[in-house]
């Protein structure tokens, strides 16, 4: 029988999670947190939430269980070419504009921040490949980061079931993926052309600074900040502003907005914001 999460226990866990990952559980139902905690409790054989809490905060394995808990509480819902209009804008306007501006430097940096299982980053890689046509004179890097190590492992593998690649245009599917055989039948594997420029890293948005050597041209941070409280969101946008190139772009989720939140960006369409130069 699963114990009931008391108000005091709920406060303790939601504070701990909020401090480490910025996710605000006060917005969602207490039941959702209880279900996620219960799965960890039964996995580890704890009979009370307080015993599990003590184990978490005095973790002798260097925070391994906290990572596991974070993997359990994050929402990894995503898909290829999610919010398709943004990818059209990327292909038809943003990338050609950057290609023209940077034709002497020939350096492009893109960050899929909160990449989940990788579909966003591979979608970006396909569009970049189409626009730059594999031009080797360009130094192109796409960083795909997330806090969830299970999602990142999945992303790195790049193996997606048939029903998961439905949003990929057939022409791109044939060009950039290989069909699995044997044990991988019914799956599609992202090909080398996409992986060449892609880097996968664990990165927590709560880190005080982001480890970038060069400014970033485009950041995709979509459907991530909806889980954060306004203060965490404000700090994150501030950090994005700092790492972005002059005139750089910040792409948000379809339901997200910077209007009334940060006036250092202008809206260019489809929840895409440009840093004011
Ligand atoms: C709903 S998914 C969004 C995936 C993708 N950007 C999209 O729009 O389809 C949200 C992702 O944000 C990640 N996330 C949540 N809190 C984070 C944090 N503090 N640092 C880094 N990533 C975080 C989650 O692990 C999850 O994979």
């Amino acid at each position: 029988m699963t114990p009931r999460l008391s108000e005091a226990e709920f406060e303790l866990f939601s504070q701990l999670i909020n401090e480490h990952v910025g996710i605000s559980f006060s917005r969602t139902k207490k039941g959702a947190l209880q279900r996620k905690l219960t799965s960890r409790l039964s996995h580890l054989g704890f009979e009370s939430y307080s015993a599990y809490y003590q184990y978490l905060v005095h973790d002798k394995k260097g925070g391994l269980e906290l990572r596991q808990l974070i993997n359990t509480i994050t929402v990894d819902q995503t898909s290829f070419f999610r919010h398709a209009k943004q990818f059209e804008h990327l292909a038809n306007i943003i990338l050609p504009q950057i290609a023209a501006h940077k034709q002497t430097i020939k350096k492009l940096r893109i960050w899929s921040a909160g990449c989940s299982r990788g579909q966003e980053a591979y979608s970006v890689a396909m569009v970049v490949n189409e626009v730059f046509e594999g031009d080797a004179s360009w130094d192109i890097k796409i960083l795909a980061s997330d806090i969830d190590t299970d999602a990142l492992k999945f992303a790195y593998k790049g193996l997606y079931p048939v029903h998961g690649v439905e949003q990929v245009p057939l022409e791109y599917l044939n060009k950039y993926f290989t069909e699995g055989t044997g044990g991988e039948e019914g799956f599609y594997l992202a090909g080398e052309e996409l992986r060449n420029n892609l880097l996968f890293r664990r990165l927590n948005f709560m880190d005080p600074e982001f480890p970038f050597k060069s400014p970033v041209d485009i950041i995709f941070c979509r459907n991530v900040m909806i889980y954060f409280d306004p203060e965490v969101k404000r700090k994150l946008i501030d950090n994005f502003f700092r790492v972005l190139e002059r005139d750089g772009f910040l792409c948000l989720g379809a339901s997200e907005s910077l209007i009334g939140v940060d006036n250092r960006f202008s809206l260019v369409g489809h929840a895409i914001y440009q840093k004011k130069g």
Side-chain angles (χ1 to χ4, degrees):
M1 210 12 213
T2 314
R4 216 182 130 267
L5 188 67
S6 72
E7 278 307 316
E9 286 164 341
F10 171 70
E11 277 306 314
L12 273 180
F13 280 105
S14 50
Q15 243 179 47
L16 182 80
I17 292 164
N18 189 257
E19 266 166 34
H20 278 84
V21 277
I23 295 174
S24 169
F25 257 96
S26 49
R27 302 247 172 106
T28 63
K29 298 213 169 70
K30 192 173 124 199
L33 180 57
Q34 175 169 325
R35 273 194 301 281
K36 287 167 194 255
L37 289 172
T38 306
S39 79
R40 293 310 302 157
L41 248 73
S42 57
H43 182 79
L44 294 164
F46 285 109
E47 286 182 0
S48 73
Y49 294 105
S50 55
Y52 176 58
Y53 182 82
Q54 289 307 318
Y55 178 77
L56 260 183
V57 293
H58 300 293
D59 188 355
K60 305 239 169 23
K61 292 182 184 156
L64 206 66
E65 177 50 28
L66 186 59
R67 278 193 182 205
Q68 240 10 88
L69 176 64
I70 290 167
N71 288 357
T72 311
I73 57 164
T74 48
V75 177
D76 59 7
Q77 191 190 339
T78 186
S79 58
F80 284 99
F81 293 96
R82 187 177 190 180
H83 197 176
K85 289 269 173 221
Q86 266 186 0
F87 288 95
E88 282 168 27
H89 200 86
L90 179 72
N92 300 330
I93 298 171
I94 299 179
L95 290 176
Q97 199 173 305
I98 294 176
H101 282 171
K102 294 191 139 183
Q103 56 185 309
T104 47
I105 309 168
K106 294 194 170 213
K107 190 170 170 176
L108 175 67
R109 295 289 180 265
I110 302 180
W111 180 16
S112 169
C115 66
S116 184
R117 295 177 160 228
Q119 289 92 328
E120 180 178 274
Y122 287 114
S123 305
V124 171
M126 282 183 254
V127 172
V128 167
N129 227 74
E130 290 296 307
V131 173
F132 288 86
E133 295 174 334
D135 182 346
S137 67
W138 272 78
D139 168 12
I140 299 175
K141 294 221 162 42
I142 302 165
L143 171 70
S145 76
D146 205 284
I147 197 167
D148 180 339
T149 49
D150 292 337
L152 271 178
K153 269 185 222 150
F154 191 101
Y156 182 75
K157 207 167 178 198
L159 190 65
Y160 298 94
V162 175
H163 62 84
V165 294
E166 276 160 7
Q167 280 84 5
V168 181
L170 197 58
E171 184 198 339
Y172 289 2
L173 194 62
N174 293 331
K175 187 170 173 183
Y176 295 113
F177 288 80
T178 48
E179 259 186 275
T181 52
E184 290 176 352
E185 202 166 334
F187 286 82
Y188 281 82
L189 183 67
E192 280 309 307
E193 249 173 317
L194 297 184
R195 293 169 176 279
N196 281 344
N197 304 325
L198 261 173
L199 291 166
F200 294 97
R201 291 277 180 281
R202 183 181 191 265
L203 191 149
N204 184 356
F205 291 137
M206 299 296 277
D207 292 346
E209 278 185 36
F210 301 141
F212 292 107
K213 293 195 187 102
S214 335
V216 182
D217 297 288
I218 310 165
I219 298 174
F220 284 81
C221 185
R222 311 186 312 158
N223 310 297
V224 174
M225 289 191 275
I226 41 171
Y227 302 103
F228 294 167
D229 58 42
E231 181 56 17
V232 174
K233 187 173 159 183
R234 196 191 53 72
K235 275 196 196 140
L236 183 56
I237 294 166
D238 219 43
N239 280 339
F240 285 154
F241 184 85
R242 216 166 301 137
V243 300
L244 268 176
E245 182 66 278
R246 259 188 82 211
D247 304 333
F249 296 89
L250 175 59
C251 305
L252 301 181
S255 64
E256 298 170 293
S257 164
L258 286 188
I259 294 173
V261 177
D262 197 314
N263 59 12
R264 296 171 298 172
F265 292 88
S266 21
L267 178 65
V268 297
H270 315 295
I272 303 172
Y273 291 81
Q274 186 168 24
K275 180 171 164 174
K276 291 177 186 166

